[in-house]
Amino acid sequence: MDDEIQLISDGDGLAVIGDPSAVERFLVSEGLPSKDLGLPKLGSVLRAGSGAAQAGSRIAADSGRWVKLTKESAQLVDKYGLRESSKTGLSTGVLKGNKGQIKGFVEFAKGARLTNPALLAGAAGLMAQLAMRQTMDEITDYLAKIDEKVDDVLRARKDAALAAMIGADLVIEEAMTIRDQVGRVSEVTWSKVQATPTTIASTQGYALRQLDGLAKKMEQQTKIGDLARTSQEAEVTVQEWLAVLARCLQLQDAIAVLELDRVLDTSPEELDQHRLGIRAARRKRLEIISRSTERLIARMDAAAGTANVKVLLHPTTSQAVVHSSNHVAIAVIDFHGRLGIERSRQSLEARRWVDAAVEVRDKVLETGAEGVDAARNLGNETLDRARSVTGKLSSGIAERALRLRGGDAERDEKAE
């Protein structure tokens, strides 16, 4: 049994649970980086009967590691044939070793460590928390990368919705600090953050309205000069609102981490459903953000298309519009990547003035050639007609001459 490990996947991560040495051998053999799952926490909070308590004490002695699912690590789910539960959405399996080595097959044995539903739900809750903490760290890296301090953006704009977010941010950060120090979320700590989700949602909605308003403004512009000014405005402000949205999502994930701790502590029987509810709510938030940012990119692309058409008459302005469009698109795509929203877009290139001029020249030459051909055809037709008229005229003169000659001859005969 020492070489037996249990694998659990929730679609975002993979938990490896079992004897510490067996878990370590498995992770090394697969070349997977991992984080501590925090299993001892389950043994202290699950007290639903002696069976769960006994299982909890056993699981507390095990090692639990969490691996973020990437393209490579996700292949393990198929490799080891994990079975998915329609009820929990979890894929699980027990992997047994052979002579100290983990073999590549799955056996669903009765000795599985997490047969207790409450413990399995608890492990899934821990996995969800680690996945969200991972995303929070990635958003922190994203904000550092774009060199945007959201607090500065919020204070500079002096909007009521954004100002309220600063206070909520401080409260949530304090609760996370206490949670990390204590290991749980007490009633006192939870009471401090209960109202913050409404504030964060309000700020998120405000930021989305700003992006939607910018997209609408782009749609209403018809003059290339107006498009250029609005595009350059978007180049500056879109990055700021994306930073605000990123911070909103980061704080919402932090609240979800606190929620799962609170449910695990007070109502563990509801943990699984609460985890699934958080997952669905987060997916919906991402869909809303994706639609708004996609709509903005579509309007920027349309503006770039308009600019390219008018590049010959407005070379500098048109290139500025396309440059701003690409800048915004790159910012949005990077933002999507950090949030796990996939989108492919090939950057537009501003058509050089000379390229447009060459294209126009080619059209002129093509039209000119067609004109020459038409003139040649018309000339030939005119020449043919002239020849025809000349022929007819010549024939008429000849006939008249003949008639005149005939008349003269007739008079000569009568005179004789």
Side-chain angles (χ1 to χ4, degrees), residues 171-310:
V171 172
I172 294 170
E173 288 289 348
E174 179 183 331
M176 289 295 289
T177 300
I178 296 174
R179 179 252 185 193
D180 293 339
Q181 184 69 29
V182 178
R184 58 186 292 268
V185 177
S186 66
E187 184 176 352
V188 173
T189 301
W190 179 243
S191 65
K192 294 179 181 180
V193 299
Q194 276 185 304
T196 56
T198 302
T199 302
I200 304 304
S202 176
T203 304
Q204 176 183 297
Y206 185 84
L208 289 174
R209 285 195 299 273
Q210 301 307 308
L211 294 179
D212 290 340
L214 193 55
K216 186 176 181 180
K217 188 176 180 180
M218 290 290 299
E219 186 177 7
Q220 293 173 342
Q221 303 293 351
T222 57
K223 297 181 180 179
I224 189 67
D226 294 337
L227 278 177
R229 283 188 290 272
T230 306
S231 298
Q232 289 170 348
E233 175 190 348
E235 187 175 349
V236 176
T237 59
V238 166
Q239 188 75 83
E240 294 178 350
W241 291 118
L242 291 179
V244 172
L245 286 175
R247 187 58 175 154
C248 285
L249 289 169
Q250 190 178 46
L251 293 176
Q252 286 163 334
D253 281 346
I255 293 170
V257 169
L258 296 172
E259 279 186 18
L260 288 173
D261 264 356
R262 189 60 184 157
V263 174
L264 182 64
D265 198 18
T266 59
S267 306
E269 69 280 0
E270 299 177 2
L271 182 61
D272 220 27
Q273 290 303 312
H274 198 83
R275 173 183 62 84
L276 293 175
I278 287 176
R279 188 185 183 94
R282 191 177 193 279
R283 187 183 302 113
K284 186 174 182 179
R285 284 198 298 268
L286 292 180
E287 289 174 355
I288 293 173
I289 292 174
S290 178
R291 284 197 300 269
S292 181
T293 51
E294 288 280 352
R295 185 162 49 247
L296 177 62
I297 289 184
R299 295 315 313 159
M300 296 296 292
D301 283 350
T306 301
N308 270 336
V309 171
K310 299 182 179 181

Side-chain angles (χ1 to χ4, degrees), residues 315-330:
T316 303
T317 308
S318 296
Q319 290 183 5
V321 172
V322 177
H323 173 80
S324 297
S325 174
N326 282 332
H327 183 88
V328 170
I330 291 171

Side-chain angles (χ1 to χ4, degrees), residues 101-162:
Q101 298 294 323
I102 300 297
K103 292 183 63 177
F105 67 90
V106 173
E107 179 182 348
F108 295 90
K110 294 182 179 179
R113 281 169 163 76
L114 295 185
T115 53
N116 184 282
L119 286 172
L120 184 59
L126 297 179
M127 293 172 64
Q129 288 179 317
L130 284 173
M132 286 183 284
R133 291 300 294 263
Q134 178 78 19
T135 302
M136 291 168 63
D137 291 341
E138 291 173 357
I139 292 177
T140 298
D141 294 340
Y142 164 75
L143 294 174
K145 177 184 175 182
I146 63 176
D147 196 25
E148 284 286 351
K149 295 183 178 180
V150 182
D151 289 349
D152 293 341
V153 175
L154 301 180
R155 292 188 180 95
R157 291 191 172 273
K158 301 183 184 301
D159 291 305
L162 303 186

Side-chain angles (χ1 to χ4, degrees), residues 1 3-7 16-17 22 26 30 80 82 93-97 102-109 113:
M1 293 293 290
D3 283 340
E4 180 184 280
I5 61 173
Q6 181 155 343
L7 304 179
V16 185
I17 300 172
F26 174 77
E30 295 291 348
Y80 293 114
L82 304 187
V94 177
L95 190 63
K96 286 191 175 184
I102 300 297
K103 292 183 63 177
F105 67 90
V106 173
E107 179 182 348
F108 295 90
R113 281 169 163 76

Side-chain angles (χ1 to χ4, degrees), residues 12 23 38 83 95 131 166 171 194 214 219 243 295 314 339 346 348 361 369 400:
D12 293 321
V23 169
R83 297 179 183 176
L95 190 63
I166 297 175
V171 172
Q194 276 185 304
L214 193 55
E219 186 177 7
R295 185 162 49 247
H314 308 277
L339 302 181
Q346 185 176 3
L348 297 174
R361 181 202 65 188
R400 184 179 179 184

